[in-house]
Amino acid sequence: DMKQFPMCLIAMLVLIAALLPLSGCRSSVLPTGFPMEGLAQIKPGHAMRASTCDPNWKDGNGDARPIAPGKTLVLADLKGPGQITHLWNTVAAQERGYSRLVVIRMYWDGETVPSVEVPLGDFFAMGHGVDRPFSSLPVTVSSEGRARNCYWPMPFAKSAKITVTNEGAKNVDAFYSYVDWQKLPKLPKGAAYFHAQYRQEHPAVMGQNYLIADLAGKGHYVGTVLSVRQLTASWWGEGDDFWFIDGEQEPSMRGTGSEDYLCDAWGLREMSQPFYGAPLMEGYDAFARTTTYRWHIPDPVRFDKSLRLEIEHKGVIFDEKGAVKSGFEERPDDFSSVAFWYQTEPHKPFPPMAAAKDRLYYDWTKLVEAETRLADAKASEGPVSTQDGAWGGGKQLFWTPSKPGQTLEFTVDLAAAGNYELLLVMTKSFDYGNCQVQIDGKDVGAPLRLYNKDIVTKELHLDAGALAAGTHTLRFVNRDKDPESKGWFLGFDSYMFQTR
């Protein structure tokens, strides 16, 4: 519950204040438990910032930095000793899934291989190339997922370099950034370097656990972001987490289920808490997406030589007739993750990251704008037109039925037989109704509730099943008026059939 966040934060800060004497920090003031205790004490260092501000800082406002495909923008090139205390950025980009296509990298003390290499969205704890707001202790995202903040402390002795690279096919129109840091006379004794690594298996490899982290050196592990797109319906997260510390053959830390490791229970639900949360949780239908985070801030996992973190990808599977076969067997869902840790250098070099196109689930060039099918669309009753607006192609197909049972349909051609996913980009609005999607007269999924108090577009993912090559009929059936809606209209932005 977001209403509980301030109290949780205060409780955490009280704990930190109480532990300060144990950490070796010296203070002439005895900690009282008040969260802001110590702010009156002058600290060493000089506050600094690297930003995308206009070089003409007196009267210029050209703060945006475009990034062409394949190009890299340097956000900070700092001379130490120092410590980065805060990162903020916001992006204007038209390419779908841009936050998985833009990659942030960080290099400490002149190293040539990065200590951080993560798609931008995943680094800020939101996977799938999705923008979504949430609040946690080290990472908070606002402005409907467009304003990204993190507060991981990042010390460096000699230098720090932070870059973002556009690995997509289209321009990033504008990138705005702050890197706030402290120039220090020297680093605290024992300061370790911040690391973050992205991994993915699309789909997860059968016969082995999903690998989140495989580290060598001395340090401690501080967080996991786990994103899953389930390829079949029902519960994906029955798998346990296993921690192999310093070469263990038997893990000294063993879990009882994925949602248990993620600090929830009996499944997952959308929420944000200081140390754990699921800011994206679309349900348990096929192709539903989930992103979760688990910060090991009060409970870091120490390692002196190595650390290997694995998690099973197990859950409910079905037999050929659609009946539940097992509640605890391997599933080939799409898994991706980010591991966060601190360690002394050098770190183990990262394996190559998946190519940009492979980090997304769809070839968005195959998306069909629905308004281009206006001439082919057939409505049993009610006018069909296009509307201008903030849709993908600037327009959408708009249908205004007048009673239940009326239909809107057009044909689609599939080049090859296969098992298909149907992706619909639909509008939801205050005067939209409920409709049933059909292919060749058969219902596909549950009826769609298209009511929303504000006008938004949503990606809807449906399992279209096995379809033959050739021509098929895609139909929308007006079901009824939503009790909260002022009408039963339908707005249709775009669609795509994709084999799975």
Side-chain angles (χ1 to χ4, degrees), residues 97-102 119-122 126-131 148:
Y98 76 91
S99 66
R100 271 247 164 116
L101 303 174
V102 175
L120 184 71
D122 296 81
M126 179 52 63
H128 311 288
V130 171
D131 291 347
R148 299 175 175 89

Side-chain angles (χ1 to χ4, degrees), residues 62-349:
D63 303 326
R65 298 288 179 269
I67 313 175
K71 298 300 182 180
T72 295
L73 173 66
V74 177
L75 301 182
D77 194 355
L78 314 177
K79 301 303 179 186
Q83 178 166 284
I84 296 168
T85 56
H86 172 229
L87 301 179
W88 167 89
N89 64 73
T90 190
V91 185
Q94 300 302 313
E95 189 164 11
R96 290 181 180 272
Y98 76 91
S99 66
R100 271 247 164 116
L101 303 174
V102 175
V103 177
I104 187 167
R105 294 179 173 90
M106 302 183 191
Y107 306 81
W108 311 126
D109 294 351
E111 62 187 357
T112 57
V113 294
S115 289
V116 171
E117 186 177 39
V118 184
L120 184 71
D122 296 81
F123 180 82
F124 288 90
M126 179 52 63
H128 311 288
V130 171
D131 291 347
R132 184 68 66 90
F134 68 95
S135 294
S136 75
L137 183 62
V139 180
T140 293
V141 180
S142 57
S143 185
E144 302 306 317
R146 300 170 299 178
R148 299 175 175 89
N149 294 269
C150 88
Y151 301 90
W152 294 111
M154 304 176 190
F156 54 96
K158 298 178 181 178
S159 65
K161 185 176 181 179
I162 302 178
T163 69
V164 286
T165 301
N166 178 8
E167 298 184 358
K170 297 181 180 180
N171 283 332
V172 168
D173 298 323
F175 197 103
Y176 301 81
S177 171
Y178 282 19
V179 178
D180 291 316
W181 64 290
Q182 295 284 330
K183 179 84 170 176
L184 300 173
K186 63 179 181 179
L187 292 186
K189 185 179 180 179
Y193 290 83
F194 177 76
H195 293 73
Q197 181 189 9
Y198 174 83
R199 290 178 178 269
Q200 73 171 48
E201 290 179 8
H202 291 176
V205 178
M206 302 295 279
Q208 64 185 45
N209 294 338
Y210 176 76
L211 179 63
I212 295 175
D214 184 14
L215 315 179
K218 180 178 181 179
H220 56 243
Y221 189 90
V222 295
T224 301
V225 171
L226 181 65
S227 296
V228 177
R229 185 181 79 135
Q230 52 194 85
L231 299 183
T232 57
S234 198
W235 175 229
W236 57 265
E238 201 59 33
D240 302 334
D241 57 302
F242 301 116
W243 302 71
F244 300 85
I245 302 172
D246 295 338
E248 292 174 335
Q249 296 302 306
E250 179 179 332
S252 56
M253 295 171 61
R254 302 185 291 272
T256 60
S258 302
E259 82 272 44
D260 305 341
Y261 166 59
L262 298 164
C263 299
D264 208 353
W266 307 108
L268 293 166
R269 62 276 308 145
E270 204 161 278
M271 62 172 174
S272 298
Q273 298 289 346
F275 301 125
Y276 70 94
L280 177 67
M281 207 289 169
E282 295 180 330
Y284 299 116
D285 293 332
F287 312 113
R289 299 168 298 184
T290 302
T291 289
T292 62
Y293 61 84
R294 164 67 156 97
W295 307 133
H296 294 264
I297 293 175
D299 57 341
V301 180
R302 166 76 180 271
F303 56 96
D304 290 314
K305 297 178 180 178
S306 65
L307 175 67
R308 184 178 178 89
L309 170 57
E310 304 174 354
I311 194 167
E312 298 171 313
H313 45 98
K314 292 183 177 180
V316 177
I317 66 167
F318 301 89
D319 62 21
E320 297 79 4
K321 296 181 180 180
V324 173
K325 178 183 178 183
S326 172
F328 185 63
E329 285 195 33
E330 279 194 323
R331 293 166 51 104
D333 297 313
D334 291 333
F335 271 58
S336 58
S337 60
V338 184
F340 298 83
W341 74 98
Y342 289 87
Q343 73 163 89
T344 56
E345 293 287 7
H347 65 271
K348 186 175 183 178

Side-chain angles (χ1 to χ4, degrees), residues 7-42:
M7 291 305 298
C8 293
L9 179 58
I10 289 172
M12 183 280 305
L13 291 172
V14 168
L15 175 62
I16 291 176
L19 293 176
L20 281 176
L22 302 179
S23 68
C25 297
R26 296 182 178 180
S27 171
S28 59
V29 179
L30 187 66
T32 63
F34 180 58
M36 292 187 289
E37 185 68 70
L39 279 181
Q41 294 176 280
I42 304 300

Side-chain angles (χ1 to χ4, degrees), residues 239-493:
D240 302 334
D241 57 302
F242 301 116
W243 302 71
F244 300 85
I245 302 172
D246 295 338
E248 292 174 335
Q249 296 302 306
E250 179 179 332
S252 56
M253 295 171 61
R254 302 185 291 272
T256 60
S258 302
E259 82 272 44
D260 305 341
Y261 166 59
L262 298 164
C263 299
D264 208 353
W266 307 108
L268 293 166
R269 62 276 308 145
E270 204 161 278
M271 62 172 174
S272 298
Q273 298 289 346
F275 301 125
Y276 70 94
L280 177 67
M281 207 289 169
E282 295 180 330
Y284 299 116
D285 293 332
F287 312 113
R289 299 168 298 184
T290 302
T291 289
T292 62
Y293 61 84
R294 164 67 156 97
W295 307 133
H296 294 264
I297 293 175
D299 57 341
V301 180
R302 166 76 180 271
F303 56 96
D304 290 314
K305 297 178 180 178
S306 65
L307 175 67
R308 184 178 178 89
L309 170 57
E310 304 174 354
I311 194 167
E312 298 171 313
H313 45 98
K314 292 183 177 180
V316 177
I317 66 167
F318 301 89
D319 62 21
E320 297 79 4
K321 296 181 180 180
V324 173
K325 178 183 178 183
S326 172
F328 185 63
E329 285 195 33
E330 279 194 323
R331 293 166 51 104
D333 297 313
D334 291 333
F335 271 58
S336 58
S337 60
V338 184
F340 298 83
W341 74 98
Y342 289 87
Q343 73 163 89
T344 56
E345 293 287 7
H347 65 271
K348 186 175 183 178
F350 299 168
M353 195 162 63
K357 64 181 180 63
D358 296 327
R359 298 197 291 265
L360 301 180
Y361 308 119
Y362 307 104
D363 179 357
W364 291 107
T365 64
K366 296 181 180 179
L367 193 69
V368 179
E369 296 294 337
E371 68 272 12
T372 64
R373 303 301 310 274
L374 177 62
D376 306 320
K378 298 178 181 178
S380 62
E381 194 169 337
V384 184
S385 61
T386 62
Q387 277 187 322
D388 294 322
W391 290 283
K395 295 178 181 289
Q396 71 162 354
L397 196 67
F398 184 57
W399 177 43
T400 56
S402 58
K403 60 183 179 181
Q406 294 173 345
T407 61
L408 170 68
E409 67 181 37
F410 49 86
T411 59
V412 294
D413 293 319
L414 302 180
N419 290 313
Y420 278 87
E421 174 187 356
L422 171 58
L423 168 64
L424 299 172
V425 183
M426 305 291 291
T427 303
K428 293 191 173 187
S429 181
F430 57 86
D431 54 0
Y432 282 30
N434 302 322
C435 78
Q436 175 67 55
V437 178
Q438 294 182 343
I439 297 177
D440 300 332
K442 296 181 179 179
D443 290 353
V444 177
L448 305 180
R449 183 177 187 249
L450 300 179
Y451 165 79
N452 196 71
K453 65 178 182 179
D454 301 312
I455 300 175
V456 296
T457 57
K458 294 289 185 181
E459 293 178 14
L460 304 176
H461 307 263
L462 301 176
D463 187 353
L467 297 174
T471 301
H472 298 269
T473 300
L474 176 61
R475 178 181 296 128
F476 298 88
V477 181
N478 183 35
R479 286 287 298 263
D480 49 38
K481 177 180 175 182
D482 191 275
E484 298 183 57
S485 179
K486 297 180 179 180
W488 42 22
F489 300 153
L490 181 145
F492 182 24
D493 182 21

